[in-house]
Amino acid sequence: MGLMDKIKSAMRTWLDIEPGTDKGAITIEQPLSFDAHVLRNRIWYRGDPSEIESFFRQTATDSVGLSRFWASTPDLPIRKIHLDIPTQMVDRLAGIVAGDFEGFDINDKQVLADWQSIADDNHWADLANDSIAEALATGDGAYKFSVDPELSKLPIIEFYGADRVTPVIRRGRLQELIFHSLYSDKNRKFRLDEHYGVGYIRSKLYQVTASKDIEVELTSIPDTAGLAPEVTFAGNIMLAVYVKFFDSPVWTGRGASILATKSEAIDALDEVVSEWWDDYRKGRVKQFLPENM
């Protein structure tokens, strides 16, 4: 091939690539809010097929959601089977971590004795296992320390999952933890927000309505009548401990559930097993066909 032929061949294979144009901002709508996201993971962990189907049918708004197995309505009846793999996965991991826990390293003998009494009173072994499972399933959570003389003379330890606690983070640093508790009184719904910060606990009560939440006095319902609006204490401590194993790629500062990225795989696995079982049941029963077939 001569020089001219090579030039002609190069011209024919020349690619004229136009640069892409900026068409402005791209809008992506998230299908689930944070609370709905946590609820989905909790329902996977609970493992009740009726709850799973009810949730996905109510939250399916786009083509992806409507195409999921648990959101679909088959033309022919089919038994929808859910494998309890999410439950087993979370419980086994929580059991391994809690089982390997060897206790806190406390040098002061008096403090160690006090903690042992608090741990025994709060059934710490069971609480630790349950709290780890809760944080793995919902994404994060927090331990809350409180005092109730009517129940115990010792401090009470409770664990709140991701849907019941909100961390307040400023510039990557935890400022306070807000614990949410729901109450009902005379067909009215209320939400108690307890702000746990360094050296203080502030309590606020809101009446939950369809339009907005209205702050009311703590004495509005019997369950919160004995709470003080604010309690302060000495020491640079917060009577709460935030628990997070993985960082959420969607909600900054929040934790990620171990089930968050496995929802599609779990849905697909349930579909395969359900269809396989349906075919198995059909093959087990004798089929009556017309003579001409």
Side-chain angles (χ1 to χ4, degrees):
M1 180 183 291
L3 179 60
M4 294 302 297
D5 293 334
K6 292 181 179 179
I7 294 175
K8 291 179 181 179
S9 177
M11 292 295 293
R12 284 195 299 267
T13 58
W14 181 265
L15 296 179
D16 186 12
I17 300 176
E18 293 289 340
T21 58
D22 187 3
K23 298 182 179 180
I26 299 175
T27 302
I28 298 177
E29 296 182 0
Q30 292 183 352
L32 298 177
S33 65
F34 176 78
D35 291 334
H37 176 81
V38 174
L39 179 59
R40 183 197 66 182
N41 297 329
R42 184 183 294 280
I43 288 178
W44 276 132
Y45 176 66
R46 289 164 64 97
D48 189 323
S50 298
E51 293 182 354
I52 297 172
E53 184 176 48
S54 176
F55 174 83
F56 280 99
R57 284 189 176 181
Q58 293 183 56
T59 57
T61 56
D62 57 356
S63 58
V64 176
L66 293 171
S67 64
R68 291 190 179 97
F69 170 68
W70 282 104
S72 63
T73 304
D75 295 333
L76 298 177
I78 181 175
R79 178 186 175 186
K80 292 188 175 183
I81 301 174
H82 172 64
L83 302 179
D84 64 341
I85 292 179
T87 306
Q88 295 297 327
M89 179 170 56
V90 171
D91 287 344
R92 294 293 79 75
L93 289 175
I96 292 172
V97 175
D100 289 342
F101 178 69
E102 297 181 354
F104 297 101
D105 187 10
I106 302 176
N107 296 325
D108 192 308
K109 293 183 178 180
Q110 183 59 46
V111 175
L112 179 60
D114 293 340
W115 162 248
Q116 192 60 49
S117 300
I118 296 173
D120 294 340
D121 187 62
N122 286 275
H123 306 285
W124 172 250
D126 295 333
L127 177 61
N129 184 87
D130 295 342
S131 59
I132 293 172
E134 178 78 5
L136 286 172
T138 63
D140 55 24
Y143 291 103
K144 170 189 170 186
F145 299 84
S146 59
V147 177
D148 190 344
E150 295 182 358
L151 298 178
S152 175
K153 297 180 180 179
L154 298 172
I156 297 174
I157 307 175
E158 301 172 274
F159 188 82
Y160 284 57
D163 52 347
R164 300 180 60 200
V165 62
T166 302
V168 179
I169 299 175
R170 297 193 184 106
R171 298 186 179 182
R173 301 183 180 185
L174 181 65
Q175 300 299 308
E176 66 177 15
L177 290 165
I178 307 176
F179 294 93
H180 311 287
S181 302
L182 298 178
Y183 298 97
S184 297
D185 182 71
K186 299 178 180 179
N187 297 325
R188 298 176 300 170
K189 294 183 178 180
F190 297 87
R191 187 188 75 248
L192 174 66
D193 289 353
E194 296 174 284
H195 298 249
Y196 274 61
V198 177
Y200 68 87
I201 299 175
R202 300 189 183 106
S203 301
K204 297 182 179 180
L205 183 65
Y206 297 88
Q207 182 177 349
V208 180
T209 63
S211 58
K212 62 178 181 179
D213 298 343
I214 305 172
E215 185 175 358
V216 296
E217 297 292 334
L218 291 170
T219 55
S220 300
I221 57 175
D223 294 295
T224 61
L227 295 178
E230 182 173 3
V231 176
T232 58
F233 46 87
N236 189 29
I237 60 173
M238 180 188 299
L239 296 180
V241 179
Y242 186 43
V243 178
K244 179 177 65 172
F245 298 110
F246 310 102
D247 291 324
S248 173
V250 182
W251 291 278
T252 303
R254 298 306 304 257
S257 169
I258 197 174
L259 306 175
T261 58
K262 301 176 178 62
S263 182
E264 299 300 321
I266 298 170
D267 181 83
L269 182 60
D270 288 347
E271 180 178 7
V272 170
V273 172
S274 299
E275 291 183 350
W276 172 81
W277 182 254
D278 189 56
D279 293 339
Y280 170 77
R281 295 180 67 177
K282 288 180 180 178
R284 188 177 58 182
V285 181
K286 182 178 180 181
Q287 302 289 334
F288 293 90
L289 304 175
E291 294 181 358
N292 58 357
M293 297 183 63

